[in-house]
Amino acid sequence: MLEQGRLGTRQLATLTFMMVIGDMMLIYPSVITSYAKQNAWICALIGIPLGMVLMAMFLKLGNMHPGKNLVQIARKYLGFWPGTVFSIIYLFYFLVGTSTHSREIGDFMTSQIFQFTPIRIIILMFVITLGWGIYNGLEAIGRTSELLLPIVIIFILVLSFCLLPKVEISHLKPFIDTDVVSLAQGVLVSVTYPVGEAIPILMILPYTARQAHRTRDVIAAAGLGNLMLAMLVTISLLVLGAFLTQHKYLCIVYFISKDQYRRFL
């Protein structure tokens, strides 16, 4: 797959943005609000520069070892067998992450759009799409991300704009009423969830053309992705409040399942 083409700086930045956004649009507001409550938007904003620092560390590690991916770097520093075990753990993490994301998409699609379609069919469709992208190579995946980028950004902006009439500032009160430990946990989530899960970038970095401003563009893409997530967290809190934002996914599944049961009867 990887030998069929190379990524440009713009494609790498676009893929980074998509990795940061990813499934976080579905679970990020709920997860961070479960810790920081109505102050989750503050944690999300703090996480933007911290996430950019974390992405800069990833890129620094990759730039220190040009032409080497995460597995090769691990073997260099840890030795062949310890590095291999470490790499297998990461590869298993990538596998679990892929299966988790597929299930999240299936749950979302069957609860919001295709309510009477079996979830196995939805997941199978996405897995076939992923397989087709892998078969066509990394360059095809990068170009696809360029096509999807404006759609994702427009979707988030339109969603936020259309919800403005429903905004209630009182949902953010009382300010700074959460304990320090919960705020720290919220900040940690705002960094590790969106940007920490983008570590697969170290697997594709060796197959990226070393063009000017590559590091700057990728860090900016990570910051923009985190900013979009912070916007979603803020608008969710302003419209739904802390309680519904924390439990919104479970509430949606419950009410839709209840409605389907009534239709069945």
Side-chain angles (χ1 to χ4, degrees):
M1 177 194 73
L2 297 174
E3 291 76 10
Q4 295 183 16
R6 299 183 69 85
L7 292 174
T9 298
R10 183 176 62 185
Q11 294 174 339
L12 180 63
T14 305
L15 277 175
T16 302
F17 175 85
M18 301 298 281
M19 280 192 286
V20 171
I21 291 287
D23 66 321
M24 290 295 107
M25 289 190 295
L26 302 178
I27 66 173
Y28 183 71
S30 299
V31 174
I32 193 172
T33 305
S34 66
Y35 291 104
K37 306 305 184 223
Q38 73 276 3
N39 296 311
W41 64 278
I42 299 177
C43 298
L45 291 177
I46 296 175
I48 295 175
L50 296 180
M52 296 174 71
V53 171
L54 181 60
M55 180 56 66
M57 293 174 59
F58 290 161
L59 295 176
K60 181 66 175 179
L61 179 62
N63 293 332
M64 288 173 58
H65 306 87
K68 295 183 181 294
N69 57 33
L70 180 61
V71 174
Q72 294 168 323
I73 294 174
R75 286 179 173 177
K76 177 180 178 180
Y77 283 104
L78 301 178
F80 181 81
W81 289 113
T84 300
V85 173
F86 178 83
S87 302
I88 291 175
I89 294 174
Y90 254 113
L91 292 176
F92 179 72
Y93 162 73
F94 296 154
L95 177 63
V96 171
T98 302
S99 60
T100 302
H101 299 161
S102 301
R103 178 55 189 258
E104 289 172 352
I105 293 174
D107 287 335
F108 177 79
M109 296 294 287
T110 53
S111 63
Q112 299 294 314
I113 303 175
F114 303 108
Q115 299 181 17
F116 299 99
T117 301
I119 189 173
R120 294 180 180 86
I121 302 300
I122 300 296
I123 294 177
L124 180 62
M125 291 172 59
F126 278 94
V127 170
I128 291 175
T129 304
L130 289 174
W132 182 252
I134 294 174
Y135 175 79
N136 284 277
L138 188 61
E139 188 174 1
I141 297 176
R143 292 180 178 179
T144 303
S145 68
E146 288 183 291
L147 294 175
L148 295 177
L149 177 64
I151 299 176
V152 173
I153 294 178
I154 291 174
F155 169 78
I156 295 176
L157 294 178
V158 171
L159 174 66
S160 302
F161 179 78
C162 292
L163 289 175
L164 288 180
K166 300 293 184 179
V167 164
E168 295 185 21
I169 302 298
S170 60
H171 286 158
L172 300 182
K173 298 178 181 180
F175 296 105
I176 315 299
D177 188 50
T178 312
D179 60 275
V180 177
V181 175
S182 297
L183 287 175
Q185 289 174 328
V187 172
L188 184 62
V189 167
S190 69
V191 178
T192 56
Y193 268 59
V195 182
E197 291 188 358
I199 196 173
I201 191 177
L202 289 177
M203 298 296 292
I204 63 176
L205 200 60
Y207 308 97
T208 305
R210 296 182 63 87
Q211 299 174 343
H213 309 304
R214 184 180 72 173
T215 300
R216 181 199 66 184
D217 292 349
V218 173
I219 294 175
L224 179 60
N226 233 348
L227 178 61
M228 289 290 181
L229 292 176
M231 183 186 304
L232 289 176
V233 171
T234 305
I235 200 69
S236 296
L237 288 171
L238 288 171
V239 175
L240 299 176
F243 180 81
L244 286 180
T245 298
Q246 179 181 348
H247 301 90
K248 66 179 179 64
Y249 188 75
L250 294 177
C251 290
I252 289 172
V253 173
Y254 168 75
F255 284 118
I256 290 181
S257 299
K258 186 177 180 181
D259 183 61
Q260 288 180 347
Y261 180 72
R262 289 176 177 173
R263 292 180 184 179
F264 177 76
L265 294 178

